[in-house]
Amino acid sequence: MTARLNSLSLVILCWITILGLVRCQKVPSLQILPAASVQRKPVGASLLLTCRPDVPDSALISDLRWSDNRNMTIPPKATKYYYPQYDSKGRKLPAKAGQSSPPIYTESIASGQALALIFNSLQESMAGVYYCAASYSVTEQLGASVSVETYVAITWKDAPEDQRPILGDDYIVRCEVTANPPATVDWLRNGDPIKSSGRYVIENRGLLIRNVSESDDGLYTCRAAVISTGELAKRVIRVEVQIKPEVQKLPLVLDAVEGQSFSYLCNATGKPVPEFQWIKKSTQQNVVDIDRFSVNALTGQLDISRVEQDDHDTYSCVAKNAAGISESTTKLNVLIRPKILEFMNITVPEDSDAVLACRAFGRPPPEITFRRFGTTEEYSVGLQVSDDRIVLDLDTNAERGETIGSLRIHKVDKTDDGLYDCIARNPGDVAYKVGHITVEYKPNFDNMKSLPPVYTWEQRPANLSCLAQAIPNATIEWRWNDRRVLDLYDINMKVENVGARSDLIIIPREPRYYTSYKCVATNRLGSEEHVMELREARIPDAVGQARPRSVSATSMTFDIIPPAIERGLPITAVSVQYKEEFNPDWNTALNRTWSPDSPYIVEGLRPQTSYSFRFAVRNIVGLGQWAAYVVHSTPKRSEPETPKTLHTPIQEEDEEDDAIVTSPYADHFELRWNVPVDNGEPINFYRVKFCPGSKINGVWTELEGACIEEDIQISTSYEMRDLQADTYYRIELMAHNAIGFSKPAHLLLKTARGIDVVLRVDDRALSSAAVIGIVVGCVLLLLLVIDILCCLIGNLGLLAMMCRRTKRSPSDLMGDEEKLGSLYGWRFPLPYCSGSLIKERPPSPLPLPPPIVKLGVTTPMEDEKQPLNNGPDGDVLKSSSVEFDGRGVQIRSGEIIGKNSAV
């Protein structure tokens, strides 16, 4: 048993030894790394395959090489390039040429112990089986193979990331994908999936958008996926809708004035904002290359600094952007401003035809019209509707650029005489020139027909002035009783001619001179006569009627009906004499004199007294007879009349409302009033009361405790202070005398809004001018002190000389006229200076003055005597004159109308 076991162990040991010997004997082979039999790579990828001999002795390896499935050996890089002739399916491939680097080549590595097969960039045509072969020990052939498979990865063939469709067009958002196996594509917009429906259609080339609108702006995502490989890729595409530019249509013609600047703005819409160009059509030249031209490419504004005649052409405004181009064309018409070349004055006789011609130049030829100087109404071409005597004709020469306008007037009259404007206008400007039509006509006296007769009296010289209207000027002669005055040699009549005016000076020493005189004017077109009258002036007739209108205790206001007056002999004053009724002597009466247009008021009367009044009127001759006797009594003494405030209301007072006035100040107001009639007792004070408040439903409501009341001594103004801004105040003003208060005058005051502005002057250092003034003042003061000292010590200096001149000299005893003669006698003849040879020229009646009479002492009337000087109270009573200046009555003391009085 043991022997059998040993025998078995020996057998096993022998087999193990034999197997070891066999294993130590290596089998020669070729290994391809990577070791996988199939190499799968994407198109475009690089690939390195290494063939390495696995033999006991590598030195016995020879002829190591790579070949394709057609047994074509792949050469190394340094030799001729290898190009596959067939693809993996056995289809012949087109020949390659011009490549700088072989797509497939072999390269020895590991010191020649291995051979690498290198693919720079795999293509689909390079897929197939590649073989590695070698010889071992010359007699044994070794071989190995590997299969190369390719696939196409997701590739964005045509998918720009920024795409700009045009508004209104159909547009495909391009996203073309290549992949093998093929990829599926879907779309998202702003993160939301897009389905093929309506305006959106998913195509192989991309996403079709029908009728693109501005709302299609946004971010679109093109997403590709290969299900079999699990590959997923995204491409975000920004879509910005573009709008083709559209130039706003230009006017057919643009007018530019030669010598002036010109600008025009070309407007266009588009997205993105278009750029502008202006093209001169005749030369197809961009105007920015022309001097004097400039274009703002962003706004489209064309500017010409100075227009010239050569700029007359057709121009296009061109707007461009990425979406397209648009243009509009206009014609630039260069205008020449009109200029009036000729416009002559003309002189024509009355009733003849006149032609006023005006010639003007311009481009285009100007239109001409006329108008009377100083008016705005222009004559129209052809017959005038307002005056069928006037026709306007135009003659235009377009080639020369001239127009002649002729204003034809048939049978001109005096009203056609005057200045005329010639107006030439074209689109470039307007030109004016003034001409004159002088219409000659025979003399006329239209300006003298309304003149009154000339009056004089007591042999005072009268001046009859004759002024005839005529072109050319007329010569004038005077006739009396159909005889030429110059032929009469009458010393009482004298003719003086001054230009177109002639004066006949008459001294009427006899009644026969008060008659008619004829003025005859003559020129070469004819003559005309005008009769003038010289009349003897008389005092006015008696006053027709006078009656009291209003009566107070101390005054009366009368309504007086004056007598009828002769034309040219007006009333110059109205007088009244008045006395107490029981005083029979009018010589002691008091007098008042008024101007004719003033209120007839008699003041200073005594209360409860009956007075007699009589009235007379005065003209340049003298005072008329006393008439219109009135007896009236004054009432008893009473409180004063209501004062009248002197403020212009912004709202007149009516029966219910007070007059409203405004103050220019916010915190104060000066109240002013007239002195009212005191009604027999002197006014001793005024009372002013003012209260803030408001009107509610037409009822004035005062603020309790806020009223201010104050008595004012004799004054006619009061300043209200510490007022509130923008507040209404109700003011009451009453006058007071010994009897009581007058009725109150009411006023509603509105103060200004805000606070009065007070200007404050900042303290500053004295200016140089102030310093100079102070220095000059100090010097003058020093000189004055020195002069006073000289006067006191030595009777010298300016003060001393002035003191000496205060003493009277013999020349001081001379009269004023003698002084004037001695002073100016060296320069003027003494008779001239003394006035002894001065003859006062009688006044002229033009336009309507009667002979000038100096008012002075006249012949005393029998019924006028010196009035009494002492009144009942012992006061001196003086007569006064009353004048009305349109605003108030002015009373002046003066001589009474009586024995030695005259108006």
Side-chain angles (χ1 to χ4, degrees):
M1 187 67 178
T2 304
R4 290 181 179 179
L5 289 174
N6 290 333
S7 299
L8 181 61
S9 300
L10 182 62
V11 171
I12 292 172
L13 180 62
C14 290
W15 278 106
I16 292 173
T17 304
I18 293 170
L19 289 174
L21 293 174
V22 172
R23 181 167 294 178
C24 291
Q25 187 72 28
K26 182 182 294 186
V27 178
S29 64
L30 295 177
Q31 291 183 341
I32 298 177
L33 299 175
S37 61
V38 178
Q39 297 293 328
R40 184 178 179 81
K41 294 292 182 181
V43 172
S46 299
L47 178 61
L48 174 66
L49 298 176
T50 303
C51 181
R52 186 178 65 181
D54 185 12
V55 295
D57 187 0
S58 60
L60 299 177
I61 291 295
S62 63
D63 194 20
L64 184 62
R65 64 190 179 279
W66 280 93
S67 62
D68 60 11
N69 56 1
R70 295 288 179 176
N71 201 24
M72 297 291 294
T73 301
I74 302 173
K77 180 177 182 182
T79 62
K80 184 179 179 181
Y81 295 164
Y82 167 79
Y83 296 99
Q85 296 181 0
Y86 299 92
D87 61 12
S88 61
K89 297 181 180 180
R91 293 174 296 190
K92 189 173 180 63
L93 297 174
K96 300 287 184 178
Q99 293 190 3
S100 59
S101 178
I104 305 174
Y105 60 92
T106 59
E107 185 175 315
S108 179
I109 60 175
S111 301
Q113 298 301 313
L115 184 64
L117 177 61
I118 299 174
F119 296 84
N120 278 332
S121 177
L122 280 171
Q123 304 297 325
E124 287 185 271
S125 60
M126 297 178 183
V129 178
Y130 290 84
Y131 300 91
C132 178
S135 297
Y136 181 69
S137 188
V138 180
T139 60
E140 186 177 358
Q141 295 294 321
L142 301 179
S145 66
V146 63
S147 178
V148 176
E149 295 182 0
T150 61
Y151 66 91
V152 179
I154 295 176
T155 304
W156 307 110
K157 183 178 179 181
D158 183 15
E161 293 183 347
D162 287 309
Q163 300 188 40
R164 296 178 175 85
I166 297 175
L167 181 70
D169 291 351
D170 291 347
Y171 182 79
I172 295 177
V173 182
R174 303 189 309 279
C175 183
E176 200 167 342
V177 179
T178 59
N180 189 11
T184 59
V185 178
D186 63 349
W187 287 84
L188 297 91
R189 181 172 185 263
N190 298 328
D192 298 325
I194 298 176
K195 296 181 180 180
S196 290
S197 63
R199 296 177 57 243
Y200 298 101
V201 179
I202 298 176
E203 297 182 351
N204 292 333
R205 294 177 298 166
L207 178 65
L208 172 63
I209 304 176
R210 301 184 188 276
N211 190 17
V212 174
S213 65
E214 287 191 74
S215 62
D216 292 324
D217 276 351
L219 296 176
Y220 291 76
T221 302
C222 176
R223 187 169 61 182
V226 179
I227 298 176
S228 60
T229 62
E231 188 177 7
L232 178 67
K234 297 180 182 179
R235 173 62 63 95
V236 177
I237 301 173
R238 180 184 300 277
V239 174
E240 182 180 356
V241 177
Q242 294 186 334
I243 303 174
K244 293 180 181 179
E246 184 176 352
V247 175
Q248 183 178 353
K249 189 173 181 60
L250 299 178
L252 295 178
V253 178
L254 293 175
D255 292 330
V257 181
E258 184 182 26
Q260 294 184 357
S261 61
F262 174 80
S263 295
Y264 190 79
L265 183 64
C266 177
N267 291 314
T269 58
K271 180 182 176 183
V273 177
E275 292 186 355
F276 292 88
Q277 289 181 343
W278 282 82
I279 305 298
K280 189 174 183 180
K281 283 294 189 179
S282 63
T283 60
Q284 290 299 313
Q285 187 179 12
N286 192 333
V287 298
V288 295
D289 299 329
I290 304 175
D291 291 340
R292 303 176 289 103
F293 283 74
S294 63
V295 175
N296 189 320
L298 297 179
T299 64
Q301 177 160 319
L302 169 67
D303 291 308
I304 307 176
S305 59
R306 187 186 70 262
V307 177
E308 295 182 358
Q309 187 66 30
D310 291 341
D311 299 333
H312 186 96
D313 207 326
T314 301
Y315 295 82
S316 289
C317 173
V318 181
K320 296 180 181 180
N321 67 5
I325 184 170
S326 175
E327 69 176 85
S328 182
T329 301
T330 184
K331 182 178 181 180
L332 184 63
N333 184 30
V334 178
L335 307 175
I336 299 178
R337 290 178 290 182
K339 180 179 180 181
I340 296 177
L341 304 177
E342 184 177 317
F343 189 35
M344 305 294 292
N345 299 333
I346 61 173
T347 300
V348 292
E350 190 176 17
D351 290 332
S352 63
D353 294 342
V355 179
L356 193 62
C358 180
R359 183 167 65 94
F361 167 78
R363 295 282 186 186
E367 293 184 358
I368 292 180
T369 186
F370 297 84
R371 70 183 178 193
R372 292 298 294 263
F373 183 78
T375 65
T376 58
E377 184 178 358
E378 299 179 4
Y379 296 116
S380 58
V381 177
L383 187 66
Q384 307 306 304
V385 177
S386 59
D387 192 341
D388 58 5
R389 300 178 305 116
I390 302 176
V391 178
L392 174 58
D393 296 329
L394 296 182
D395 182 12
T396 301
N397 187 327
E399 182 178 352
R400 299 177 57 184
E402 288 189 1
T403 302
I404 298 176
S406 301
L407 187 68
R408 304 178 185 275
I409 306 177
H410 179 62
K411 290 188 177 181
V412 297
D413 57 28
K414 293 188 292 294
T415 59
D416 298 319
D417 186 286
L419 296 173
Y420 289 77
D421 281 329
C422 171
I423 306 171
R425 59 167 61 91
N426 69 6
D429 204 354
V430 182
Y432 300 89
K433 196 168 185 178
V434 178
H436 189 268
I437 296 180
T438 301
V439 179
E440 297 181 331
Y441 56 92
K442 71 176 185 178
N444 67 75
F445 294 97
D446 295 342
N447 60 321
M448 298 185 61
K449 290 181 179 178
S450 61
L451 294 180
V454 177
Y455 291 91
T456 188
W457 67 99
E458 296 177 354
Q459 299 184 11
R460 300 187 181 200
N463 185 355
L464 277 65
S465 295
C466 181
L467 179 61
Q469 294 177 327
I471 298 178
N473 287 337
T475 58
I476 297 176
E477 68 175 14
W478 290 92
R479 295 183 182 180
W480 184 37
N481 296 329
D482 291 332
R483 297 180 62 186
R484 295 178 70 242
V485 170
L486 294 179
D487 296 338
L488 298 177
Y489 301 104
D490 190 331
I491 61 173
N492 295 321
M493 292 186 290
K494 181 181 179 182
V495 177
E496 292 185 357
N497 294 314
V498 180
R501 166 178 163 175
S502 180
D503 295 332
L504 176 61
I505 301 173
I506 304 171
I507 302 176
R509 290 190 172 92
E510 299 177 13
R512 63 189 179 95
Y513 290 104
Y514 293 105
T515 183
S516 298
Y517 297 84
K518 186 181 295 183
C519 172
V520 181
T522 305
N523 68 4
R524 61 183 177 84
L525 299 178
S527 63
E528 187 69 21
E529 298 179 352
H530 178 67
V531 176
M532 302 181 67
E533 291 187 36
L534 178 63
R535 296 182 183 178
E536 185 176 7
R538 296 179 176 81
I539 60 174
D541 294 336
V543 173
Q545 183 181 1
R547 60 175 180 270
R549 181 176 52 170
S550 62
V551 180
S552 69
T554 59
S555 65
M556 288 190 190
T557 302
F558 289 90
D559 288 330
I560 299 175
I561 300 177
I565 59 174
E566 293 189 56
R567 180 167 170 262
L569 200 61
I571 293 174
T572 58
V574 178
S575 299
V576 62
Q577 282 190 338
Y578 59 97
K579 62 181 180 62
E580 293 185 9
E581 180 185 6
F582 301 105
N583 179 7
D585 189 1
W586 281 100
N587 293 326
T588 62
L590 299 176
N591 297 267
R592 290 287 187 274
T593 300
W594 304 285
S595 59
D597 55 349
S598 66
Y600 304 133
I601 303 175
V602 178
E603 297 178 305
L605 304 179
R606 293 196 302 172
Q608 292 184 291
T609 304
S610 179
Y611 285 91
S612 296
F613 302 88
R614 63 178 183 177
F615 302 86
V617 294
R618 178 183 292 278
N619 61 13
I620 60 174
V621 180
L623 188 69
Q625 296 181 352
W626 296 104
Y629 290 84
V630 175
V631 177
H632 205 283
S633 299
T634 56
K636 66 179 181 179
R637 294 177 302 164
S638 63
E639 64 276 359
E641 297 293 324
T642 303
K644 184 173 180 61
T645 57
L646 302 178
H647 300 284
T648 303
I650 59 173
Q651 175 182 317
E652 294 294 340
E653 184 178 9
D654 53 27
E655 295 180 358
E656 298 180 356
D657 297 330
D658 298 331
I660 299 177
V661 298
T662 58
S663 172
Y665 308 102
D667 60 347
H668 66 280
F669 175 71
E670 184 181 14
L671 179 66
R672 294 176 288 109
W673 60 88
N674 274 334
V675 177
V677 177
D678 60 14
N679 283 333
E681 288 291 338
I683 296 172
N684 48 13
F685 68 88
Y686 296 91
R687 177 166 292 174
V688 176
K689 178 182 179 183
F690 55 97
C691 307
S694 61
K695 271 191 176 182
I696 301 176
N697 297 328
V699 178
W700 175 260
T701 303
E702 298 176 355
L703 298 178
E704 296 182 2
C707 294
I708 297 177
E709 186 175 270
E710 187 169 347
D711 292 340
I712 305 165
Q713 299 305 318
I714 302 303
S715 176
T716 56
S717 65
Y718 171 71
E719 186 168 7
M720 303 162 54
R721 291 193 170 275
D722 299 327
L723 303 180
Q724 298 178 12
D726 197 19
T727 305
Y728 284 94
Y729 286 85
R730 190 169 188 267
I731 305 172
E732 286 188 359
L733 174 65
M734 296 183 294
H736 183 272
N737 62 11
I739 298 176
F741 284 101
S742 68
K743 293 181 179 179
H746 297 285
L747 197 65
L748 199 59
L749 171 68
K750 173 68 163 56
T751 56
R753 180 177 300 176
I755 303 175
D756 298 337
V757 178
V758 179
L759 299 179
R760 298 184 178 180
V761 180
D762 297 332
D763 293 333
R764 296 181 181 177
L766 292 177
S767 64
S768 58
V771 173
I772 294 173
I774 293 174
V775 171
V776 172
C778 294
V779 172
L780 293 177
L781 181 61
L782 179 62
L783 293 176
L784 179 61
V785 172
I786 295 173
D787 191 71
I788 294 174
L789 293 176
C790 292
C791 179
L792 296 176
I793 298 173
N795 197 21
L796 299 173
L798 293 176
L799 290 177
M801 182 177 66
M802 293 173 65
C803 292
R804 289 194 298 270
R805 291 193 62 179
T806 55
K807 299 178 181 179
R808 294 182 62 84
S809 62
S811 62
D812 295 329
L813 301 178
M814 298 173 59
D816 292 340
E817 188 173 8
E818 289 80 356
K819 290 180 181 179
L820 184 64
S822 63
L823 181 61
Y824 295 101
W826 63 272
R827 188 170 180 182
F828 303 107
L830 187 59
Y832 174 84
C833 296
S834 65
S836 60
L837 296 182
I838 295 177
K839 294 184 179 179
E840 181 182 357
R841 184 174 181 175
S844 166
L846 296 180
L848 278 178
I852 298 174
V853 179
K854 295 183 178 179
L855 302 181
V857 179
T858 60
T859 305
M861 301 177 61
E862 293 182 359
D863 58 345
E864 293 181 346
K865 295 183 179 179
Q866 182 72 22
L868 294 177
N869 290 332
N870 295 330
D873 298 329
D875 298 332
V876 177
L877 297 177
K878 294 184 179 180
S879 296
S880 62
S881 63
V882 180
E883 295 182 358
F884 180 64
D885 60 2
R887 294 176 295 180
V889 178
Q890 306 294 330
I891 303 175
R892 299 183 178 89
S893 300
E895 293 185 354
I896 60 173
I897 298 179
K899 180 178 180 180
N900 295 321
S901 66
V903 176

